[in-house]
Amino acid sequence: MLLGLSKIIDCPGGVVPFETSLDLSQMEFGGSYPLPEPVHAEGSVRNTAGVLVMTGELTTRLHGECDRCTKPFERELSISLEAVLVTKLENEDYDDPWTFELDGDQADLDDILTTAVVLNMDSKLLCSEDCLGLCARCGKDLNEGPCECKKELDPRLAVLQQFLNK
Ligand SMILES: [Zn+2]
Ligand SMILES: [Zn+2]
């Protein structure tokens, strides 16, 4: 979707709201497709003292298999968006992923929102930030409680213990 900004480009204080949804079901991430549901985006672009600032919120549900405990999961994903829109990218802007060039007097929302999602995806898909994962020895899901295994010894201590036992 292209968002027309001609009304506010030269009008400090002007605001253009937007609401759209984005289909990222084909976006591959680490071998899976974690965003099968539409991504809903809502926000506005405001001309703040001559600078076009886009703010908003993206929400969807993340579907995946946890990288730590291997369980399939679904959870809410919400991303807050803050980007600067410029009529022409200057050299230093190329280093800033949150600065976008307008297409004439229009903002390419799909492009901006897709970038926001990609930049916000964690490098691992986790069922929750504090997932405890599986025991490396017995494979028990530690989210369900501790396992019977003894605590893994620090390998340096293990060597020391072997030495002392001799
Ligand atoms: Zn997990
Ligand atoms: Zn264990």
Side-chain angles (χ1 to χ4, degrees), residues 4-146:
L5 297 173
S6 55
K7 286 196 299 200
I8 65 162
I9 279 184
D10 296 313
C11 173
V15 179
V16 171
F18 65 86
E19 184 172 357
T20 184
S21 66
L22 199 63
D23 175 10
L24 292 179
S25 58
Q26 296 308 308
M27 193 178 84
E28 189 182 337
F29 183 82
S32 70
Y33 297 89
L35 301 170
E37 298 183 33
V39 179
H40 181 252
E42 214 178 323
S44 62
V45 181
R46 176 184 290 270
N47 182 328
T48 305
V51 181
L52 296 175
V53 180
M54 172 182 272
T55 54
E57 175 104 10
L58 289 90
T59 50
T60 186
R61 286 182 73 76
L62 191 61
H63 293 237
E65 243 170 53
C66 180
D67 279 336
R68 272 187 210 150
C69 69
T70 72
K71 271 211 194 94
F73 70 90
E74 265 181 46
R75 67 177 163 88
E76 297 292 327
L77 177 68
S78 99
I79 293 169
S80 52
L81 169 73
E82 182 164 351
V84 173
L85 310 178
V86 294
T87 46
K88 186 161 182 0
L89 284 176
E90 304 293 340
N91 277 337
E92 66 267 24
D93 296 332
Y94 286 101
D95 295 332
D96 180 2
W98 295 107
T99 300
F100 296 87
E101 192 172 31
L102 295 178
D103 181 4
D105 54 14
Q106 296 181 312
D108 186 342
L109 272 185
D110 294 349
D111 179 45
I112 296 168
L113 300 174
T114 303
T115 304
V117 172
V118 171
L119 291 176
N120 272 282
M121 288 294 275
D122 297 319
S123 56
K124 284 179 181 299
L125 287 177
L126 297 179
C127 63
S128 85
E129 288 301 321
D130 46 12
C131 173
L132 297 172
L134 304 177
C135 171
R137 207 177 273 179
C138 70
K140 183 179 153 98
D141 185 346
L142 298 175
N143 297 304
E144 291 165 2

